[in-house]
Amino acid sequence: MGLFGRRKTVFVDSDILVIGGGMAGCGATYESRYWGRDLKIVCVEKANIERSGAVAQGLYAINCYMGMQWNENQPEDHVRYARNDLMGLVREDLGYDIARHVDSTVHKFEEWGLPIMRDPKTGRYQREGKWQIMIHGESYKPIVAEAARKAASEVYNRIMVTHLLMDKAKPNRVAGAVGFNVRTGDFYVFRGKAVIVAAGGASHIFKPRSVGEGMGRTWYAPWSSASAYALPILVGAKMTQMENRIVLTRFKDGYGPVGAYFLHLKTYTQNAYGEEYESKWYNDTKELVGDYIDRHPVPTCLRNHAILREVAAGRGPIRMVTMEAFQDPHKETVGWENFLGMTVGQAVVWASQNIDPKHINPELTTSEPYVMGSHATCSGAWASGPEDYAPSEYQWGYNRMMTVDGLFGAGDTIGGTAHKFSSGSFTEGRIAGKAAVKYVKDMGKDQPRVSETEYEDLKKSVYKPLENYKVGRNEIVAGTVSPSYLLPIHGLQRLEKIMDEYVGGITPNYMTNDVLLNRGLELLGMLKEDIAYLGAEDLHQLQRAWELQHRVLASEAVTQHTLFREETRWPGYYYRGDHMKLDDDNWHCFTLSRYDRDSGMWEMEKAPVYHIID
Ligand SMILES: Cc1cc2nc3c(=O)[nH]c(=O)nc-3n(C[C@H](O)[C@H](O)[C@H](O)COP(=O)(O)OP(=O)(O)OC[C@H]3O[C@@H](n4cnc5c(N)ncnc54)[C@H](O)[C@@H]3O)c2cc1C
């Protein structure tokens, strides 16, 4: 037994175990209670569900609302929109399923106290754009969390889940999860008949633009550490579209959002010389992607592409023209409030850099890539679709169940369904919760059992970084450098550098090719060997160590998928220099991967894209 083997183990039994109490996790917890009145529903969160997840500091808009009560949009319209933005490739069954239920979710939010702005003339929700409605979002997460708290049998805050547990009798059935309390250090064994993973997306896998004094400032939440992908990958769940990372055009240095500026304030962009530039790149883009450039609205990646080309041609920076809109005092207030409600840091950056958008048009830039399944991109787990709508090839039993029995997902976790955002993630959580209850009820007495050997072995490996540190710290050769261990920050910086330089980050202007990707995989392999020797000086660093482990595995998936897809489907997000064009003949398909944890090998395959909506 190692130095830390004597830590207390706490056992928790549940019918439904929800991992992650963000938007999707709160939705899953809430809905599981609705359908499973007598079930034990447990929600586990590494932070505190009151303020956790990507919406933590509040949002200014709910980005997915159909408005069916006023005949504003229908679910079919949303599927067409997402398909268009993702250059043809979305799981239309999953997207439709969310779109048809999302309005009811938003109505619940309002009933629970969320202030949604209304158009004084029509009395309808105030639209920011075709899909977005405006909210006073500072209290968004506490309101949603309250519903989950009241629905859950128990909520465990401050527990970082590190691994899923499998049934000892049935190899492809989930049985629970393990993790540790980041404050007390206790080890937790959660036994669950069904498990719903809702652990958010992945930032900090590519080197961010904000380094040095700005480190930690990223667009996607810095605490989104890829657990949503690593947990299912490790137990052999199939993943899809992991190459579909997203790059955002945002205000420079603060990653401040541009949506309200474009949609509500009607601002627009121009190059350094005050010229419109997008139309200049029309022919160039058409060469790469064909008719996709003629779609409306123009897919987000292609708008990035025009920015990247214009800057490479020497006419950067690209600026947002705010000086006109900000002359109107109402718009000026909205512009500032937009940041104060959700990205305070951008207002601080502008103040500190003498940027008053009334007098200066602020710079925009493209971010480092992120991986997620709920925003305008669709990486994540391959999930079974709704019984009444999914083609048979997309259905193996229960809605939102992954390819592992009893393992469900929602929000950033689930792949193929972009543009669900906060409301759609909560809705997908509800869908997964309902299906998980059905799964548990159908299961009857045939319940999973965890293996003591499995969780005891995991306990040893979970605390290994503390032991590595304690043993190796006396060998420090300079500052924090030890021959016996690697600190989580060092491992993270190495990961970010590999992903940046080899897998299409900001340094090579999002460019990669097969040679770079293969070398990237070799380097990731070496990093994986080394992170067996992570050293953690305290529980906080232990959490960082496990977040890094999750990020590395997700990064490997991104690299494998990027290598497999031999085309450039989303110019502006990344480029395969050896296959610069979109290739619908060979790649109008989903990419799927499956990781074998015993051999460390990845199996790749294609899956068909079914267009269900005309
Ligand atoms: C900057 C930004 C702006 C956005 N703007 C908008 C907007 O204007 N409108 C809109 O509708 N949507 C917006 N979104 C999108 C929205 O926030 C996400 O779509 C939504 O939060 C995804 O829900 P989720 O539950 O999958 O992930 P999250 O809400 O991020 O929740 C994941 C949860 O899992 C927890 N967790 C992670 N790992 C573990 C682990 N190992 N163990 C235990 N717990 C874990 C996290 O702490 C977190 O609470 C924005 C997102 C960002 C980052």
Side-chain angles (χ1 to χ4, degrees):
M1 181 176 295
L3 282 174
F4 299 91
R6 289 188 195 286
R7 281 185 183 273
K8 186 168 135 194
T9 299
V10 181
F11 293 92
V12 179
D13 286 314
S14 62
D15 293 300
I16 310 243
L17 176 66
V18 179
I19 300 176
M23 288 306 290
C26 286
T29 307
Y30 172 81
E31 194 76 10
S32 298
R33 170 60 67 224
Y34 183 86
W35 298 98
R37 297 274 157 187
D38 51 344
L39 298 187
K40 184 166 178 201
I41 295 146
V42 168
C43 177
V44 193
E45 163 61 47
K46 74 175 176 180
N48 185 314
I49 68 166
E50 283 304 301
R51 285 277 171 197
S52 70
V55 303
Q57 64 178 23
L59 298 179
Y60 210 68
I62 284 178
N63 283 353
C64 184
Y65 180 74
M66 304 298 113
M68 284 184 272
Q69 59 175 324
W70 299 304
N71 206 15
E72 291 176 332
N73 298 289
Q74 297 304 322
E76 290 84 352
D77 302 325
H78 194 260
V79 173
R80 289 186 196 104
Y81 163 66
R83 178 174 66 200
N84 181 41
D85 198 43
L86 273 288
M87 308 289 279
L89 311 185
V90 287
R91 278 281 301 269
E92 298 186 11
D93 58 323
L94 301 180
Y96 180 82
D97 200 20
I98 293 170
R100 66 179 162 178
H101 294 301
V102 73
D103 284 10
S104 75
T105 289
V106 173
H107 301 158
K108 280 186 188 303
F109 292 163
E110 191 174 36
E111 198 183 307
W112 296 339
L114 180 70
I116 304 182
M117 297 183 206
R118 291 203 178 242
D119 182 323
K121 288 199 200 102
T122 62
R124 297 178 184 179
Y125 294 149
Q126 175 73 53
R127 282 278 177 198
E128 184 187 76
K130 188 169 166 59
W131 305 104
Q132 300 82 354
I133 53 172
M134 297 180 74
I135 60 172
H136 294 286
E138 196 281 335
S139 54
Y140 192 10
K141 186 64 206 302
I143 288 169
V144 167
E146 186 183 348
R149 267 197 287 110
K150 287 178 175 161
S153 309
E154 286 157 10
V155 174
Y156 289 84
N157 287 313
R158 305 282 170 208
I159 293 179
M160 161 98 197
V161 173
T162 55
H163 301 83
L164 295 176
L165 289 170
M166 298 302 278
D167 182 10
K168 67 178 179 186
K170 295 192 177 167
N172 193 42
R173 177 159 87 170
V174 77
V178 299
F180 64 96
N181 186 305
V182 301
R183 295 280 161 85
T184 65
D186 290 343
F187 186 66
Y188 276 76
V189 177
F190 294 98
R191 291 175 287 227
K193 295 175 193 163
V195 176
I196 303 174
V197 175
S203 61
H204 274 296
I205 68 171
F206 285 85
K207 187 177 93 180
R209 288 209 186 266
S210 299
V211 291
E213 63 170 354
M215 199 200 155
R217 182 79 196 110
T218 49
W219 168 75
Y220 216 62
W223 49 82
S224 296
S225 54
S227 301
Y229 312 121
L231 294 171
I233 288 172
L234 261 178
V235 295
K238 282 188 184 176
M239 306 304 283
T240 189
Q241 303 294 89
M242 292 299 283
E243 70 279 21
N244 179 213
R245 78 292 292 277
I246 189 170
V247 169
L248 293 301
T249 297
R250 287 291 179 267
F251 285 112
K252 190 163 178 297
D253 297 337
Y255 298 89
V258 295
Y261 279 70
F262 279 129
L263 298 171
H264 193 63
L265 306 183
K266 309 290 179 211
T267 59
Y268 54 94
T269 58
Q270 55 184 212
N271 71 11
Y273 302 100
E275 297 158 352
E276 184 280 325
Y277 57 90
E278 272 192 23
S279 57
K280 283 188 215 160
W281 298 105
Y282 174 83
N283 289 337
D284 167 88
T285 312
K286 189 143 187 149
E287 266 292 288
L288 297 180
V289 301
D291 292 345
Y292 286 92
I293 183 63
D294 298 320
R295 308 272 166 97
H296 292 284
V298 174
T300 315
C301 61
L302 301 183
R303 303 195 69 179
N304 282 357
H305 176 68
I307 291 178
L308 295 173
R309 301 292 283 182
E310 188 69 3
V311 172
R315 291 185 291 271
I318 302 300
R319 293 182 189 277
M320 182 75 96
V321 181
T322 52
M323 282 161 60
E324 293 164 13
F326 272 58
Q327 301 310 318
D328 172 346
H330 169 69
K331 288 189 174 171
E332 184 183 14
T333 306
V334 173
W336 283 105
E337 273 183 2
N338 181 242
F339 290 153
L340 296 177
M342 63 189 285
T343 314
V344 180
Q346 186 66 55
V348 177
V349 167
W350 280 358
S352 67
Q353 295 182 352
N354 290 344
I355 296 170
D356 180 347
K358 200 171 176 177
H359 304 297
I360 297 173
N361 291 328
E363 281 178 53
L364 297 172
T365 193
T366 50
S367 73
E368 62 279 5
Y370 302 92
V371 178
M372 75 200 68
S374 76
H375 210 274
T377 180
C378 62
S379 304
W382 185 239
S384 185
E387 296 75 8
D388 63 335
Y389 206 67
S392 55
E393 208 164 327
Y394 294 168
Q395 251 189 84
W396 47 95
Y398 298 86
N399 202 351
R400 267 50 175 202
M401 192 169 87
M402 302 182 203
T403 54
V404 170
D405 286 348
L407 182 59
F408 295 77
D412 276 327
T413 309
I414 296 296
T417 49
H419 291 279
K420 46 194 164 194
F421 295 99
S422 61
S423 48
S425 295
F426 188 94
T427 306
E428 194 170 43
R430 293 176 62 195
I431 293 168
K434 181 178 177 184
V437 169
K438 183 167 186 321
Y439 172 85
V440 168
K441 290 192 169 165
D442 289 351
M443 176 188 279
K445 292 199 174 8
D446 175 25
Q447 294 171 11
R449 282 173 305 144
V450 301
S451 140
E452 189 177 342
T453 319
E454 187 184 4
Y455 65 72
E456 286 298 342
D457 287 349
L458 286 173
K459 185 175 180 181
K460 278 185 215 134
S461 79
V462 163
Y463 294 105
K464 189 84 186 358
L466 288 174
E467 192 171 327
N468 289 344
Y469 182 84
K470 194 154 191 175
V471 172
R473 69 180 165 181
N474 295 323
E475 300 165 351
I476 287 176
V477 288
T480 52
V481 178
S482 163
S484 298
Y485 59 70
L486 185 72
L487 293 179
I489 185 67
H490 297 150
L492 181 69
Q493 286 169 342
R494 194 160 130 198
L495 171 69
E496 290 176 345
K497 182 172 159 62
I498 296 168
M499 294 302 286
D500 179 52
E501 294 175 353
Y502 293 92
V503 193
I506 50 177
T507 302
N509 246 340
Y510 311 101
M511 182 64 76
T512 186
N513 61 34
D514 58 342
V515 177
L516 286 163
L517 290 163
N518 277 312
R519 179 61 182 154
L521 285 171
E522 282 171 12
L523 292 170
L524 285 173
M526 294 174 207
L527 177 59
K528 277 174 88 177
E529 284 172 24
D530 289 348
I531 57 175
Y533 301 96
L534 281 174
E537 83 180 281
D538 54 24
L539 291 169
H540 186 73
Q541 289 304 315
L542 187 64
Q543 179 175 358
R544 292 285 174 264
W546 282 102
E547 289 177 342
L548 176 64
Q549 295 273 5
H550 290 176
R551 285 186 163 110
V552 170
L553 197 56
S555 299
E556 206 182 350
V558 170
T559 312
Q560 290 284 0
H561 276 253
T562 309
L563 180 61
F564 185 62
R565 182 179 285 284
E566 293 180 334
E567 64 161 352
T568 299
R569 168 72 43 176
W570 305 278
Y573 289 166
Y574 77 94
Y575 302 85
R576 276 283 306 248
D578 48 344
H579 299 281
M580 274 300 278
K581 291 191 178 182
L582 181 145
D583 175 4
D584 257 344
D585 291 341
N586 295 301
W587 291 99
H588 196 91
C589 63
F590 295 114
T591 54
L592 302 190
S593 64
R594 188 177 177 282
Y595 179 68
D596 179 341
R597 67 173 155 182
D598 297 324
S599 66
M601 302 299 284
W602 294 81
E603 265 171 47
M604 304 299 303
E605 62 181 303
K606 293 180 178 180
V609 173
Y610 290 114
H611 294 301
I612 306 168
I613 309 273
D614 60 15

